[in-house]
């Protein structure tokens, strides 16, 4: 009587032999026969087909060594846009990793908005972006006091809600947390992922989901694809803003650098 357990198969799924092997991994993935106690040798066999874990992407794909500098063990590739880049080890602590991802996402979104605003603002008014604060009326019909008040009140309210929601998810989707109760549901997290609220308010075009009978239904496949696209564009925008700062230090503007 021969008994084979599936535990041996499951235990081997995370091994480098299975994930990185060539012919050997294909043999393992072709199927595993499981024979239960008391079953005859001529009886039917149960086939267990397992899939190999997707290999982690690397920011230096041509380098195999390097240890944690090239392939940090604390980054498993599950985060959108995770290519194992953490040379300073900032994400070793899972709590810090979650916070740094939130910070990267928010700063990236602001950077994308800023890059667009810098180009459009200067093209519209002719005033360099680093001088626009001295004369906000040239770009928009607002005085400096109005602009500052809007920043402190509206931005402060939104950012404070985001801050609280980060530490206490879904705490801001209740009536008392909003100045008007009818919009309470708009602040609920429709996707279940931190930093990606979705819903009718944050995804009105339905890019990552659909609205059926007034209920937002996220599309997991679209959402994951858009997460990667967003973080890539966000990182490029942050690098662009860093370049703009260096240019501003020399009295130059992005449009001027492009000869426009």
């Amino acid at each position: 009587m021969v008994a084979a357990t599936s535990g041996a198969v499951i235990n081997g799924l995370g091994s480098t032999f299975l994930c990185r092997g060539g012919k050997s991994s294909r043999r393992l993935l072709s199927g595993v026969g499981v024979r239960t106690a008391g079953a005859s040798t001529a009886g039917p066999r149960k086939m267990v087909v397992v899939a190999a874990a997707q290999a982690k992407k690397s920011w230096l794909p041509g380098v195999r060594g390097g240890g944690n500098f090239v392939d940090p063990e604390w980054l498993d590739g599950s985060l959108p846009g995770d290519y194992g880049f953490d040379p300073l080890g900032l994400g070793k602590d899972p709590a810090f990793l979650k916070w740094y991802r939130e910070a990267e996402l928010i700063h990236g979104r602001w950077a994308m908005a800023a890059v667009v605003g810098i180009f459009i603002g200067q093209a519209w008014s002719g005033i360099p972006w680093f001088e626009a604060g001295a004369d906000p009326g040239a770009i928009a019909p607002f005085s400096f006091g109005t602009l500052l008040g809007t920043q402190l009140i509206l931005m402060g309210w939104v950012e404070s809600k985001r801050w609280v929601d980060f530490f206490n998810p879904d705490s801001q989707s209740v009536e008392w947390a909003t100045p008007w109760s009818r919009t309470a549901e708009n602040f609920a997290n429709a996707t279940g992922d931190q930093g990606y609220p979705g819903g009718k308010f944050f995804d009105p075009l339905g890019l990552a989901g659909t609205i059926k009978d007034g209920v937002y239904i996220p599309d997991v496949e679209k959402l994951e694809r858009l997460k990667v696209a967003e973080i890539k564009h966000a990182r490029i925008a942050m690098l662009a803003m860093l370049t703009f700062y260096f240019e501003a230090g020399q009295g130059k503007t992005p449009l001027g650098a492009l000869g426009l």
Side-chain angles (χ1 to χ4, degrees):
M1 179 174 60
V2 179
T5 63
S6 61
V9 177
I10 302 301
N11 290 335
L13 291 180
S15 66
T16 57
F17 170 73
L18 180 58
C19 297
R20 299 181 182 177
K23 296 181 179 179
S24 300
S25 63
R26 287 194 291 270
R27 292 194 188 101
L28 286 175
L29 295 176
S30 62
V32 179
V34 179
R35 191 175 300 165
T36 58
S40 64
T41 57
R45 292 183 176 182
K46 295 181 180 179
M47 302 299 293
V48 179
V49 179
V50 294
Q54 185 176 2
K56 291 170 58 177
K57 295 182 180 179
S58 174
W59 64 285
L60 287 176
V63 178
R64 295 299 180 186
N68 285 330
F69 181 79
V70 176
D71 185 18
E73 59 185 9
W74 53 88
L75 295 179
D76 58 6
S78 60
L79 290 174
D82 178 9
Y83 294 93
F85 182 78
D86 188 14
L88 299 180
L90 300 177
K92 287 183 178 180
D93 188 318
F96 280 120
L97 178 60
K98 181 181 178 181
W99 173 251
Y100 283 130
R101 169 40 61 99
E102 175 82 0
E104 180 186 32
L105 188 60
I106 298 303
H107 281 80
R109 288 170 177 172
W110 278 117
M112 288 188 287
V115 168
V116 175
I118 286 173
F119 277 103
I120 294 179
Q122 183 177 352
W124 174 266
S125 66
I127 299 178
W129 68 273
F130 48 85
E131 296 179 0
D135 188 15
I139 298 179
F142 302 114
S143 65
F144 180 77
T146 302
L147 185 63
L148 180 62
T150 302
Q151 286 281 94
L152 292 177
I153 297 175
L154 296 183
M155 290 295 302
W157 174 65
V158 172
E159 280 297 289
S160 64
K161 289 175 68 64
R162 184 187 65 81
W163 174 274
V164 174
D165 187 74
F166 176 80
F167 293 101
N168 188 11
D170 293 331
S171 63
Q172 301 304 293
S173 60
V174 293
E175 294 182 359
W176 63 264
T178 58
W180 44 88
S181 60
R182 291 184 179 180
T183 61
E185 64 178 7
N186 291 332
F187 291 91
N189 192 321
T191 68
D193 294 338
Q194 182 70 37
Y196 303 93
K200 295 181 290 184
F201 188 79
F202 292 102
D203 186 18
L205 299 180
L207 300 178
T210 57
I211 299 177
K212 185 177 182 180
D213 298 329
V215 179
Y216 181 85
I217 303 175
D219 187 316
V220 178
E221 184 178 352
K222 288 183 179 179
L223 180 61
E224 292 302 318
R225 185 172 66 251
L226 290 174
K227 284 180 182 179
V228 176
E230 181 186 36
I231 199 64
K232 286 183 176 181
H233 285 82
R235 289 167 177 169
I236 293 175
M238 288 189 284
L239 290 175
M241 280 304 306
L242 182 62
T243 303
F244 293 172
Y245 285 128
F246 283 118
E247 289 178 343
Q250 302 174 21
K252 300 179 180 180
T253 66
L255 289 180
L258 294 174
L260 301 176

